[in-house]
């Protein structure tokens, strides 16, 4: 029930910002934007990693409690929020600026080590 609720929250949050399925995210300066990865067949999300292709630097990492017990260290910034729903994982970055432009690789891994990877190209408009 809680997971279902977070997916609804994700929809509500992303309704007002720039979202795209084809990997292109056009966002206005100061708006929030979301990187959404559909995960319909995943039951338990163990890790979510977001890398920016400017040296493949990690900008966000989520580890489930079990993964943390295995040494995974979560990494976050104040501008990043995560929603894990039944159908999708949604990473939202707040207050877009030119430093956010670029290509992102998002990797979602479940507790059976099945991984889904998506890339997103973020560009500022206006
Ligand atoms: C971005 O998200 C934050 C936190 O949810 C919210 O307070 C703010 O109004 C949003 N900004 C825009 C431009 O929608
Ligand atoms: C890559 O982008 C991140 C997030 O925008 C930034 O914090 C980092 O300094 C950048 N790294 C390089 C090597 O430009
Ligand atoms: C993954 O989670 C599911 C659902 O809780 C569980 O049934 C399964 O045994 C878990 N698999 C592993 C490898 O931990
Ligand atoms: C993103 O992924 C798609 C398909 O998975 C691929 O065709 C495309 O070249 C990738 N884009 C970038 C910028 O890596």
């Amino acid at each position: 029930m809680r997971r279902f609720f977070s997916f609804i929250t994700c929809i509500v949050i992303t309704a007002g910002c720039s979202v795209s399925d084809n990997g292109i995210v056009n966002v206005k300066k100061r708006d929030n934007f979301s990187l959404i990865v559909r995960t319909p067949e995943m039951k338990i999300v163990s890790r979510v990693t977001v890398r920016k292709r400017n040296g493949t630097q990690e900008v966000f990492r989520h580890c489930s409690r079990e993964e943390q017990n295995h040494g995974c260290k979560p990494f976050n910034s104040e501008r990043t929020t995560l929603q894990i729903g039944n159908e999708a994982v949604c990473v939202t970055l707040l207050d877009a600026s030119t430093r956010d432009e670029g290509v992102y690789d998002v990797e979602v891994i479940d507790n059976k080590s099945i991984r889904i990877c998506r890339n997103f190209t973020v560009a500022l408009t206006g």
Side-chain angles (χ1 to χ4, degrees), residues 1 10 12 32 50 55 81 105 109 126:
M1 191 57 205
C10 178
V12 170
N32 306 330
V50 180
T81 60
D105 292 295
I109 304 178

Side-chain angles (χ1 to χ4, degrees), residues 72-87:
C72 181
K73 296 229 182 329
F75 176 83
N76 203 351
S77 82
E78 285 167 2
R79 290 201 305 128
T80 315
T81 60
L82 173 74
Q83 278 90 37
I84 297 174
N86 285 339
E87 299 288 326

Side-chain angles (χ1 to χ4, degrees), residues 5-116:
F5 186 74
S6 5
F7 182 57
I8 299 290
T9 313
C10 178
I11 298 274
V12 170
I13 287 174
T14 56
C17 63
S18 304
V19 180
S20 167
D21 276 339
N22 63 5
I24 308 289
V25 180
N26 291 310
V27 60
K28 273 195 273 186
K29 195 170 185 179
R30 314 236 69 185
D31 272 2
N32 306 330
F33 65 97
S34 296
L35 311 175
I36 298 178
V37 177
R38 302 201 177 281
T39 55
E41 65 279 15
M42 277 192 181
K43 294 247 167 11
I44 306 281
V45 170
S46 294
R47 287 195 197 207
V48 179
T49 308
V50 180
R51 291 185 187 82
K52 196 168 180 205
R53 274 195 220 159
N54 59 349
T56 63
Q57 181 166 344
E58 282 188 25
V59 293
F60 176 81
R61 192 192 305 137
H62 161 81
C63 318
S64 67
R65 194 157 301 158
E66 195 178 343
E67 286 293 291
Q68 290 184 41
N69 291 341
H70 289 107
C72 181
K73 296 229 182 329
F75 176 83
N76 203 351
S77 82
E78 285 167 2
R79 290 201 305 128
T80 315
T81 60
L82 173 74
Q83 278 90 37
I84 297 174
N86 285 339
E87 299 288 326
V89 164
C90 166
V91 181
T92 301
L93 280 89
L94 307 180
D95 192 20
S97 72
T98 49
R99 76 195 143 160
D100 296 322
E101 287 189 304
V103 179
Y104 294 77
D105 292 295
V106 180
E107 179 186 64
V108 181
I109 304 178
D110 77 357
N111 70 334
K112 290 173 274 184
S113 299
I114 292 170
R115 69 187 62 212
I116 300 176

